[in-house]
């Protein structure tokens, strides 16, 4: 299974509009972070976690040529607003795109993209979705996805474990019942916004403490704000913990 980080930035993206800080003006391309999303390739199938407002540019950059499913973590704008741009894959593949999400996230998607769900626009050009409600572990083409419930402030969000990898973004608290789902991993992806604490996100220190406890072989941090420069932050981290960057690919 191949994992590719389509985006690793926080909700505003980095560079952040109007900001002239040293990370936003850095010449290191790894300091340029589009909104957070992961591509999972397995057995010829392509599954995304989230479709960000940057999805089109991310797909162009990574030459994504097919798409089979999108799994959503939650309904915030930085995780869902690229859904419309997936319609081109429907035009090409002629199969409705499988969309897996919690009931609450499906409600948000139906509100934001009512024109896709309603299918009443009679002049064509719309994508087609096959919504599936997540209410436990589910399989997509031979890969089992186990939802990992976490809290993002007071909003329930889903992380996902698949095989020996897990992707958990947009959380401030991981309940004990979810931590046990994150043991024995080769690759653990965690939210790590910045150094300063935040009411709805994990910061670098909190995510390092989780890595210490869960002991994955490798940990990669995402949803990164402009407070953290790529190279200088990595220099402070243990060797098996790195900030992810846009375009980073790992085999699991
Ligand atoms: Zn987010
Ligand atoms: Zn900045
Ligand atoms: Zn969020």
């Amino acid at each position: 299974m191949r994992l590719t980080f389509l985006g690793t930035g926080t909700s505003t993206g980095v560079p952040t509009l109007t900001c002239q800080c040293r990370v936003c003006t850095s010449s290191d391309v790894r300091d340029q972070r589009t909104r957070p999303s992961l591509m999972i390739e397995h057995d010829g199938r392509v599954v995304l976690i989230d479709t960000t407002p940057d999805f089109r540019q991310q797909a162009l950059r990574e030459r994504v040529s097919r798409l089979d499913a999108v799994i959503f973590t939650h309904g915030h704008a930085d995780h869902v607003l690229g859904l419309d741009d997936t319609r081109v894959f429907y035009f090409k593949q002629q199969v409705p795109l499988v969309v897996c999400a919690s009931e609450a996230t499906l409600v948000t998607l139906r509100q934001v993209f009512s024109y896709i769900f309603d299918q009443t626009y009679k002049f064509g050009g719309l994508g087609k979705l096959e919504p599936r409600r997540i209410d436990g572990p589910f399989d997509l083409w031979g890969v089992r996805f186990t939802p990992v419930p976490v809290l993002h402030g007071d909003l329930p969000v889903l992380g996902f474990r698949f095989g020996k990898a897990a992707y958990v973004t947009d959380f401030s608290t991981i309940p004990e019942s979810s931590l046990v789902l994150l043991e024995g991993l080769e690759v653990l992806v965690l939210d790590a916004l910045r150094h300063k604490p935040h009411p709805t996100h994990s910061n670098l220190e909190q995510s390092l403490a989780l890595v210490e406890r869960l002991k994955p072989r490798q940990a990669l941090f995402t949803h990164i704000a402009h407070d953290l420069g790529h190279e200088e932050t990595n220099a402070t981290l243990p060797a098996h913990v790195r900030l992810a960057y846009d375009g980073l690919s790992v085999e699991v």
Side-chain angles (χ1 to χ4, degrees), residues 14-16 18-25 225-227:
V14 180
T16 301
T18 77
C19 186
Q20 295 294 321
C21 79
R22 73 204 150 69
V23 176
C24 287
T25 56
H226 61 163
D227 308 56

Side-chain angles (χ1 to χ4, degrees), residues 112-163:
V112 176
F113 298 102
S114 57
Y115 62 97
I116 307 180
F117 285 88
D118 294 346
Q119 294 281 319
T120 51
Y121 183 73
K122 60 186 182 201
F123 300 104
L126 290 183
K128 203 165 259 184
L129 307 175
E130 185 194 319
R132 297 185 188 173
R133 192 179 71 235
I134 297 174
D135 45 20
F138 57 99
D139 295 313
L140 293 174
W141 304 287
V143 180
R144 165 140 294 209
F145 288 85
T146 302
V148 179
V150 295
L151 279 173
H152 183 26
D154 55 12
L155 179 75
V157 165
L158 294 179
F160 299 97
R161 179 181 178 138
F162 34 101

Side-chain angles (χ1 to χ4, degrees), residues 74 76 78-79 152 170:
H74 64 306
H76 281 168
D78 53 325
H79 297 259
H152 183 26
D170 292 65

